[in-house]
Amino acid sequence: VNQELALLSRWFKLNKLSLNIKKTNYMLFRTCNNKLDNDLNISIDGIKLSPVTKTKFLGVIINSTLTWNDHIAMIKSKISRNIGIISRIRFLVPRAVLMSLYHALVEPYLQYCNLIWAARRTSVLNQLYLCQKKLLRTVTFSDRRSHSLPLFKNLEILPVSSINDLQVGCFMYNALHKLLPAYFNSMFAPNTTLHTHFTRSCNAVHQKQYRLNISKFSIRIHGPIVWNSLPRELQSLPSLKIFKKKFRQFLITNL
């Protein structure tokens, strides 16, 4: 690593670029139960780099165990503050304005990179769902113990887990129709390319075997699971725009 950092430093200098070493850290990725030695002598230009257990990259907080708990906690903090704002003005504006504020102040946080961090249905992720339910009850002036699924349906709002299903479905549609970069072309394949036997699942996307539970929530495994659960009429829609619209309606109907 130090040899590569030396080459990197030289490249920066030759191209008249500078690297803020004080803001440069390193992270060791590991499983939750595996403890690693963070006291490594990794340096650049003679300055030792400090280890970190989490960092923000393009608005997403990545931690060393890839659990996404830190990112979800950040989202909860931001949308809770915005829910408080909506709660304080709900008596002053009509419901349409409140829903516009939801789509502007809350939903973007739930959608951004949801494909990555919301695949695993954990108790931490459920906290975002509870925030959504609280907001919908606030907007509709419903009792705090009222059933929330009718509110999601009536307002046509997707829970955070269903947003993930929608994004995974759109990703799979693009991948299977060769609309993604070439790297993804060989990631998924129908069962017919692996065997010639006629079975009920011969046209389904092949689901790879996995050993670790964390692999189950990667797009390689989770993608085919979501896609194969869709009705045939959804899978055969002619464009991504139509697919996204119909799939969203499907998810809302089946809440």
Side-chain angles (χ1 to χ4, degrees):
V1 172
N2 286 328
Q3 291 175 355
E4 294 298 325
L5 289 177
L7 294 175
L8 182 64
S9 176
R10 182 173 181 271
W11 184 88
F12 273 116
K13 294 173 183 177
L14 291 175
N15 288 276
K16 301 185 183 301
L17 299 172
S18 61
L19 177 67
N20 191 336
I21 301 179
K22 293 182 179 179
K23 294 183 178 181
T24 304
N25 309 103
Y26 72 90
M27 183 189 305
L28 298 178
F29 293 99
R30 60 180 179 83
T31 59
C32 293
N33 297 324
N34 187 15
K35 304 299 182 181
L36 299 179
D37 181 16
N38 274 350
D39 190 21
L40 301 177
N41 186 19
I42 297 178
S43 61
I44 183 169
D45 290 343
I47 301 176
K48 186 176 180 180
L49 303 183
S50 301
V52 294
T53 57
K54 62 181 179 181
T55 188
K56 180 180 285 189
F57 180 71
L58 298 179
V60 178
I61 297 180
I62 304 173
N63 60 23
S64 59
T65 56
L66 295 180
T67 59
W68 310 111
N69 291 346
D70 296 289
H71 182 71
I72 294 174
M74 178 195 69
I75 293 176
K76 181 187 175 183
S77 174
K78 291 189 175 183
I79 68 175
S80 295
R81 182 171 60 251
N82 293 336
I83 289 174
I85 295 173
I86 296 174
S87 299
R88 285 192 291 271
I89 66 171
R90 63 176 176 152
F91 297 100
L92 306 175
V93 297
R95 180 184 296 183
V97 174
L98 296 176
M99 292 309 303
S100 295
L101 290 174
Y102 168 81
H103 291 301
L105 300 178
V106 176
E107 198 169 54
Y109 291 111
L110 300 176
Q111 291 180 343
Y112 182 66
C113 288
N114 183 291
L115 177 72
I116 304 287
W117 53 262
R120 192 171 185 177
R121 309 300 196 258
T122 63
S123 58
V124 179
L125 183 67
N126 189 57
Q127 294 176 10
L128 298 183
Y129 178 54
L130 295 178
C131 288
Q132 282 186 289
K133 294 199 296 184
K134 178 181 178 181
L135 177 60
L136 295 188
R137 290 179 181 130
T138 299
V139 169
T140 58
F141 294 88
S142 302
D143 185 84
R144 62 184 182 87
R145 294 170 294 181
S146 61
H147 193 36
S148 61
L149 287 183
L151 301 180
F152 280 98
K153 285 187 176 183
N154 293 336
L155 298 175
E156 296 187 342
I157 298 296
L158 287 177
V160 61
S161 58
S162 296
I163 293 175
N164 180 259
D165 290 335
L166 178 63
Q167 292 193 4
V168 171
C170 292
F171 179 90
M172 291 298 298
Y173 185 96
N174 285 330
L176 296 174
H177 288 80
K178 311 298 182 185
L179 301 176
L180 296 177
Y183 169 81
F184 298 99
N185 289 343
S186 60
M187 184 174 290
F188 309 104
N191 287 330
T192 51
T193 62
L194 304 176
H195 62 76
T196 58
H197 308 296
F198 180 78
T199 61
R200 286 179 296 178
S201 60
C202 62
N203 292 320
V205 177
H206 177 66
Q207 295 183 16
K208 297 180 173 63
Q209 299 296 321
Y210 57 92
R211 184 173 59 87
L212 299 176
N213 190 49
I214 192 173
S215 302
K216 177 181 178 181
F217 306 103
S218 68
I219 193 64
R220 291 177 180 270
I221 307 299
H222 187 57
I225 292 175
V226 172
W227 182 259
N228 293 337
S229 67
L230 300 183
R232 183 63 180 170
E233 55 268 23
L234 280 180
Q235 297 177 347
S236 58
L237 289 172
S239 70
L240 175 63
K241 182 178 180 180
I242 298 176
F243 171 80
K244 186 175 182 179
K245 179 180 179 180
K246 295 293 185 181
F247 187 23
R248 191 177 190 280
Q249 293 174 346
F250 174 82
L251 290 171
I252 292 175
T253 303
N254 290 276
L255 285 175

